[in-house]
Amino acid sequence: MAIVGTSTRRPDYLDKVTGKGAYVGDLEIPGMAHAKVLSSPLPHARILRIDASKARALPGVFGVLTAHELGDMDPYYGSDIKDRPIIAIDKVRYEGEPVAAVAAVDLETAEAALDLIDVEYEELPVIATMNDALTDGAATVHQSNLCHESHYEWGNTEEGFAEADRIFEDTFTFPMVYHYSLEPHTVIARYDELGITVWDSAQHPFLVRNELARLFGLSLNRVQVVVPYVGGGFGSKSYIKIEPLAVALSREAKRPVKLAYSVEQSAKTVRRHAASITLKTGVRNDGSFVARDCQIRLDTGAYADNGNRVTDRCADQVPGPYLWPHLTVTSKGLYTNTGAAGSFRAIGGPQAAWASESQVDMIADALGIDPLELRLKNLGAPGDVIRQGKNPLDADIATGLKEAAKGVGWAGRGAKPVTQEKETKRGIGLACSVLNAGASPTSTALVRLHADGSATAMVSTVEVGQGSKGVMAQIAAEELCIPLEKVGVVASDTAIVPYDRSTGASRSTTLVGLAVQLGAKEIKQQLLDLASKHFEAPEDKLAFADSSVVFGQESITYAQLIRQMFGGPAGELMGRGYVTPQTEGPLKGLPVFWEMAVVGAEVEVNEKTGAIRVLRLVSVSDIGKAINPKQAEGQDEGAAMQGIGHTLFEELIYEDGQLLNPNLVDYRVPSFEEVPDGFETILIENEDGPGPFGAKGIGEGPIAAVAPAIANAVFQATGVRIKELPLTPERVWRALQAGTSGGHKVDALTEG
Amino acid sequence: MSEDHRLQISFVVNGRPVDTEIEPHLLLLDLLRDKLALKGAKRSCDMQVCGACTVLVDGNPVSSCTYLAFEARGTDVTTIEGLADGEKLHPLMEAFIDNAGLQCGFCTPGMILAAKSLLDLNPRPSVEEVKEYMRGNLCRCTGYKKILESIEDAAQRMQG
Ligand code: FES
Ligand code: FES
């Protein structure tokens, strides 16, 4: 393999470093109007009256959209649970919810028109927190405050607790986190008699297409979703967000409309679920895990978005990669009057691992067992069924964990690194988890071999920064035995490229890559047929090399074969790749693969200020085969850094339904200053994944394991255990005060 | 806005003189993107935190999202579109490509311009100096490691 496995130059890089690469906000569509949205100032209120007549009369205004204009359609949408109106109808459920939208000749005019819209509200009681949502007789955000619930169990957890020597019960909380992709949500929508076209910053163009077709009553072929370069997603642009609003406004204004959100609007549109997770875990004195009961509550905000899947996946992930004889898991997604929560890199994973891996360390400490040994003792091995009804584990977590331990200098439970400075203490922590990755195996690709021997791969994977365009080209070139420069990739335009479910869940290289490989193989079969006739030789005597089919000493180029077939320098061969749940091989059952999340961290805690510095961070992923190693590392580095953010300081703060920090000054994300001195990514390559050339997806794992690894390191450094994130200096300082003044660790363990 | 409130300004953008009439409150970012069709500088935080809108004014990085176009009168402005020498990429661009110093690319124009001003001031910065100088440019994709490596590589290339 000369092309696959090499850090080749990505085709999108040249566009991007020169500033030529176009994102939706850079596009101009002829006749395009500019849109602004009037947002609700209240988190929960009935809309008594909207008067937009003055706004409509303002010169330069092309159209105003309110609920009134949606009378001819069913205006509710969502990825599964269709609970979100295109624009607020009768009531608002979060501060920032669109109540009216204006399309005008320019942004200034649109802004001026917003000031002329008069809305009268009647305030309703605010469901500010999950506790509010669960209070008996509380007001409800929708019909009820329960959005989704999932439950599974095996063994008999109560009997398991009776068998256990010790029982630990702890509650861990995880904050609301904002994706902050640098490019906020942006869409240009055109609705006319031919149908709908949207130029969209979206991760799942086909799901956007399908939902727009359903909402506006069009057949699928009349809705086109075009996705140019996307300025970061991390889940924030998954499923469907502001597209229906922009299309409805275009319908009203009778011209294309550009709707570009601000950071504040994006932060209120989607975020990560806050969580509260209570784990009751029974173990034997020798450290064997016996039983666990997991109670998860997730705050999905005002609308479900993807909250049902997050609720399920958090439940899937909370037991960790361990073998549990007895297990009970209940997970509830709850509505509150805050901005909606949806997918965010490794959905449900960071919350689950934060609770599980913190508690595993606490158990190790209480039992006097090395935390690494305790994990190794209970881990599932490849081939083990770690979740009943799901595919067996295909990742070697134990090897990964040992690599991380080595990389971060783990020398055992008592072997703390020391620091020279008096007020700082150092510690090392480990954490491991496992994510059920890949979403579902539903992807297609079309590969075209042109008359000159060059090729085009057509896929719907969105180039969101992960490098999919380059990877698909590498896969096609390798399989077709042609030079990389001879392959172009056309992506993410639903009117041109064939179907793909989504860009997310670490699935593109594995599933879309497999579709490209299958498409290339179908072309090779056609080339064999042609060459077999040409050489009058059986297919099994033929081979592929350098854009040619070889028979003994003779060879014929692909270009010559195509020309022979079409009788001149014309025509092309087409290969189809279908990846479905029926595809031969390991794709039967779910997950498509288990993605390991393994992190080791060394920290320094300043006992005077509570400030934590991450000195070293090592993450390990099992990638099967790295198609482009450098960009694979970059994926994990990015995930790890986002993990550092939500561990140390990131948190959207809502008070009575009002978002207090809706901007980048008050909501800080990691900068160059947070880069650990030692920052390493280890990739395990056993060429055993279900994807092309044995690849499997990565890029989500580290974000799930960073927080518990750091908290475990803080515990080793200081003896203080903190169960809430983020680990801000103030929180750490308070815990240190409480922990040292009484001579006890901050949270006593409950023993059975 | 009535005509008499418009201001005449002249400045140089990417080596070419520009004479234009602007409204007094027009931001440099909007002038570049909307009137001069230079879309390389991006709008993200819109409050001088992220650096996606960074351009160079007389060689110094500024956040064009909060910089009045009027303040640029008489200056020499460089945007990402003006950094390559024809077909020949700037060494920073080459280094970002070779070291995978970008992913989605939204931060990249600002990142490269800020790094250029750093290397113009300090041709061999230490890692600590790079981190300190560049902290006004955010990247949410890369985790910064490969950007640091790109800048270090560019510094070497520029030394020749
Ligand atoms: S957009 Fe100007 S600094 Fe962020
Ligand atoms: S490459 Fe995406 S923000 Fe930097």
Side-chain angles (χ1 to χ4, degrees):
Chain A
M1 283 187 274
I3 299 169
V4 158
T6 311
S7 298
T8 54
R9 279 195 162 208
R10 273 170 58 168
D12 57 320
Y13 276 172
L14 186 61
D15 268 357
K16 289 174 176 176
V17 298
T18 53
K20 289 183 192 136
Y23 303 77
V24 175
D26 302 329
L27 302 178
E28 307 279 349
I29 302 302
M32 181 174 86
H34 297 268
K36 279 275 177 188
V37 166
L38 182 70
S39 304
S40 165
L42 299 169
H44 200 196
R46 217 180 304 286
I47 300 171
L48 300 178
R49 189 178 59 84
I50 302 183
D51 180 359
S53 54
K54 287 199 194 112
R56 285 201 174 86
L58 188 71
V61 169
F62 299 126
V64 179
L65 181 77
T66 66
H68 185 74
E69 282 69 46
L70 300 175
D72 60 335
M73 63 191 291
D74 171 6
Y76 288 89
Y77 71 101
S79 58
D80 287 321
I81 300 171
K82 315 243 177 257
D83 62 359
R84 192 164 189 152
I86 290 177
I87 200 155
I89 299 174
D90 301 333
K91 79 169 189 170
V92 290
R93 295 183 175 84
Y94 68 96
E95 178 236 347
E97 179 158 11
V99 173
V102 174
V105 64
D106 54 30
L107 287 173
E108 272 185 11
T109 308
E111 191 85 56
L114 292 187
D115 290 341
L116 300 175
I117 300 174
D118 197 17
V119 187
E120 198 182 325
Y121 298 98
E122 177 188 85
E123 288 194 48
L124 294 169
V126 176
I127 307 299
T129 64
M130 290 195 280
N131 281 339
D132 292 351
L134 290 169
T135 303
D136 274 340
T140 58
V141 181
H142 294 271
Q143 249 83 9
S144 113
N145 288 330
L146 181 66
C147 169
H148 182 74
E149 177 165 359
S150 63
H151 178 88
Y152 65 96
E153 57 182 84
W154 61 74
N156 183 321
T157 307
E158 282 315 311
E159 277 174 25
F161 288 139
E163 284 168 31
D165 295 322
R166 313 266 306 255
I167 293 176
F168 300 83
E169 188 167 348
D170 303 278
T171 297
F172 301 87
T173 63
F174 193 99
M176 296 178 184
V177 188
Y178 166 42
H179 307 71
Y180 184 51
S181 59
L182 263 77
E183 176 199 35
H185 296 90
T186 311
V187 58
I188 300 171
R190 182 174 66 201
Y191 179 101
D192 59 25
E193 58 287 349
L194 297 175
I196 293 171
T197 305
V198 294
W199 292 265
D200 199 4
S201 180
Q203 294 174 235
H204 304 353
F206 276 94
L207 295 182
V208 172
R209 178 195 69 166
N210 295 2
E211 193 66 345
L212 289 177
R214 187 189 66 79
L215 275 171
F216 291 91
L218 296 170
S219 55
L220 295 179
N221 66 323
R222 289 181 62 197
V223 180
Q224 180 181 14
V225 180
V226 185
V227 182
Y229 288 130
V230 173
F234 321 118
S236 68
K237 295 163 182 172
S238 63
Y239 298 97
I240 183 162
K241 298 290 184 287
I242 62 172
E243 295 88 349
L245 176 56
V247 173
L249 184 58
S250 167
R251 188 176 77 149
E252 201 51 35
K254 302 194 172 40
R255 69 198 68 219
V257 163
K258 180 191 272 187
L259 179 58
Y261 264 12
S262 64
V263 159
E264 173 164 353
Q265 287 173 307
S266 278
K268 291 175 183 171
T269 299
V270 63
R271 59 170 170 81
R272 195 191 283 282
H273 288 73
S276 167
I277 300 179
T278 300
L279 300 179
K280 185 174 172 188
T281 303
V283 303
R284 288 195 216 286
N285 283 331
D286 70 355
S288 347
F289 293 173
V290 184
R292 187 176 248 191
D293 178 274
C294 315
Q295 300 292 328
I296 301 169
R297 295 184 334 193
L298 294 157
D299 183 345
T300 204
Y303 293 104
D305 194 297
N306 196 32
N308 54 315
R309 276 194 201 83
V310 177
T311 303
D312 291 343
R313 293 270 287 276
C314 192
D316 280 340
Q317 291 162 10
V318 78
Y322 306 109
L323 295 168
W324 295 98
H326 308 282
L327 184 74
T328 303
V329 180
T330 303
S331 184
K332 289 183 182 171
L334 299 168
Y335 288 121
T336 62
N337 292 123
T338 60
S343 299
F344 191 147
R345 202 169 199 161
I347 63 172
Q351 297 96 325
W354 164 241
S356 177
E357 284 301 281
S358 292
Q359 198 192 42
V360 166
D361 241 57
M362 294 164 74
I363 293 169
D365 181 62
L367 297 180
I369 298 177
D370 185 294
L372 174 61
E373 295 308 320
L374 182 69
R375 289 185 170 90
L376 293 174
K377 183 181 178 74
N378 290 286
L379 278 179
D384 283 346
V385 174
I386 53 169
R387 301 287 183 278
Q388 292 184 4
K390 296 220 151 67
N391 279 343
L393 187 63
D394 56 348
D396 184 356
I397 316 268
T399 299
L401 194 57
K402 285 185 220 159
E403 289 279 335
K406 198 162 75 189
V408 77
W410 178 261
R413 174 168 178 261
K416 286 206 255 187
V418 282
T419 160
Q420 303 305 325
E421 286 155 57
K422 254 215 321 279
E423 63 267 25
T424 63
K425 294 240 167 80
R426 287 187 181 188
I428 296 178
L430 301 170
C432 64
S433 190
V434 72
L435 311 171
N436 39 353
S440 61
T442 311
S443 294
T444 67
L446 191 63
V447 182
R448 302 165 59 194
L449 186 64
H450 305 291
D452 63 353
S454 67
T456 305
M458 304 178 77
V459 293
S460 181
T461 302
V462 172
E463 178 52 77
V464 67
Q466 83 285 44
S468 56
K469 275 197 169 170
V471 161
M472 298 308 152
Q474 284 178 274
I475 292 166
E478 183 77 48
E479 188 62 44
L480 289 170
C481 302
I482 63 179
L484 184 60
E485 327 62 89
K486 294 275 187 215
V487 182
V489 175
V490 174
S492 56
D493 178 335
T494 63
I496 296 173
V497 301
Y499 185 87
D500 184 30
R501 181 193 180 275
S502 52
T503 305
S506 306
R507 68 189 292 285
S508 291
T509 298
T510 309
L511 296 172
V512 185
L514 192 58
V516 168
Q517 188 181 33
L518 292 172
K521 284 189 169 156
E522 203 180 84
I523 287 180
K524 281 163 84 181
Q525 184 54 51
Q526 296 168 50
L527 290 167
L528 281 181
D529 292 344
L530 294 171
S532 160
K533 284 192 201 104
H534 172 82
F535 289 121
E536 294 178 357
E539 284 180 15
D540 59 5
K541 293 278 182 292
L542 303 175
F544 294 92
D546 297 339
S547 306
S548 303
V549 182
V550 182
F551 172 58
Q553 299 302 312
E554 298 175 75
S555 76
I556 182 164
T557 66
Y558 300 165
Q560 286 169 315
L561 286 169
I562 293 173
R563 283 162 196 225
Q564 279 183 6
M565 175 174 168
F566 288 94
E572 65 180 58
L573 300 182
M574 284 179 275
R576 301 156 306 166
Y578 296 132
V579 172
T580 75
Q582 280 77 45
T583 301
E584 283 308 305
L587 295 180
K588 296 216 197 301
L590 290 174
V592 176
F593 57 93
W594 290 98
E595 180 174 352
M596 70 158 71
V598 175
V599 169
E602 181 184 359
V603 303
E604 188 170 79
V605 184
N606 184 318
E607 294 200 305
K608 270 208 176 129
T609 63
I612 296 171
R613 245 170 50 107
V614 182
L615 303 173
R616 248 196 295 186
L617 195 125
V618 179
S619 66
V620 186
S621 287
D622 176 358
I623 192 167
K625 171 79 191 168
I627 308 286
N628 184 318
K630 232 181 232 178
Q631 93 186 27
E633 286 167 17
Q635 283 296 297
D636 272 11
E637 287 159 11
M641 188 54 83
Q642 288 180 352
I644 289 177
H646 71 226
T647 305
L648 297 186
F649 42 76
E650 285 186 45
E651 177 177 25
L652 287 172
I653 300 168
Y654 274 91
E655 211 173 271
D656 295 327
Q658 301 282 343
L659 181 57
L660 301 185
N661 55 345
N663 59 64
L664 263 282
V665 171
D666 300 314
Y667 183 96
R668 192 157 86 81
V669 300
S671 74
F672 277 95
E673 290 178 308
E674 273 77 32
V675 180
D677 294 337
F679 190 16
E680 199 192 341
T681 300
I682 297 170
L683 299 175
I684 300 177
E685 295 190 69
N686 293 322
E687 300 188 10
D688 59 350
F693 310 102
K696 54 182 145 175
I698 61 142
E700 300 200 305
I703 199 174
V706 169
I710 289 178
N712 294 342
V714 170
F715 176 77
Q716 200 202 39
T718 65
V720 164
R721 173 64 59 183
I722 304 173
K723 300 183 200 169
E724 297 92 41
L725 288 176
L727 303 176
T728 57
E730 185 188 336
R731 178 167 279 147
V732 174
W733 183 84
R734 281 184 194 285
L736 288 166
Q737 296 308 305
T740 48
S741 59
H744 291 296
K745 282 157 200 157
V746 112
D747 294 296
L749 298 171
T750 316
E751 295 183 14
Chain B
M1 194 67 58
S2 64
E3 283 302 305
D4 42 347
H5 277 102
R6 296 173 76 88
L7 304 168
Q8 183 74 35
I9 65 164
S10 308
F11 63 134
V12 174
V13 180
N14 298 332
R16 291 176 177 225
V18 173
D19 289 294
T20 187
E21 270 204 346
I22 58 163
E23 286 152 4
H25 61 275
L26 184 73
L27 296 165
L28 180 58
L29 180 60
D30 293 319
L31 173 64
L32 294 170
R33 286 181 57 87
D34 298 342
K35 298 207 169 180
L36 305 179
L38 296 168
K39 306 273 191 188
K42 306 295 181 205
R43 173 173 267 120
S44 179
C45 73
D46 218 7
M47 55 197 314
Q48 223 179 324
V49 177
C50 74
C53 62
T54 303
V55 298
L56 303 181
V57 175
D58 288 334
N60 299 315
V62 305
S63 295
S64 62
C65 69
T66 44
Y67 192 93
L68 287 176
F70 180 67
E71 294 297 333
R73 68 192 185 283
T75 67
D76 197 334
V77 173
T78 305
T79 72
I80 194 70
E81 290 88 348
L83 201 59
D85 180 7
E87 290 292 284
K88 199 174 160 315
L89 296 184
H90 187 277
L92 269 160
M93 294 169 162
E94 292 281 359
F96 270 68
I97 290 175
D98 288 346
N99 294 281
L102 65 150
Q103 289 178 23
C104 81
F106 211 75
C107 70
T108 310
M111 202 62 87
I112 288 179
L113 289 171
K116 177 181 186 300
S117 80
L118 165 66
L119 296 184
D120 287 346
L121 286 170
N122 179 358
R124 294 313 294 262
S126 68
V127 176
E128 287 316 310
E129 286 169 332
V130 178
K131 286 185 183 174
E132 160 75 23
Y133 190 88
M134 297 293 296
R135 71 191 165 168
N137 287 77
L138 299 177
C139 173
R140 192 61 152 166
C141 297
T142 62
Y144 301 105
K145 185 180 176 191
K146 289 185 165 36
I147 298 180
L148 289 168
E149 289 164 2
S150 302
I151 295 173
E152 193 185 326
D153 183 22
Q156 263 164 31
R157 291 176 197 229
M158 286 162 76
Q159 300 272 302

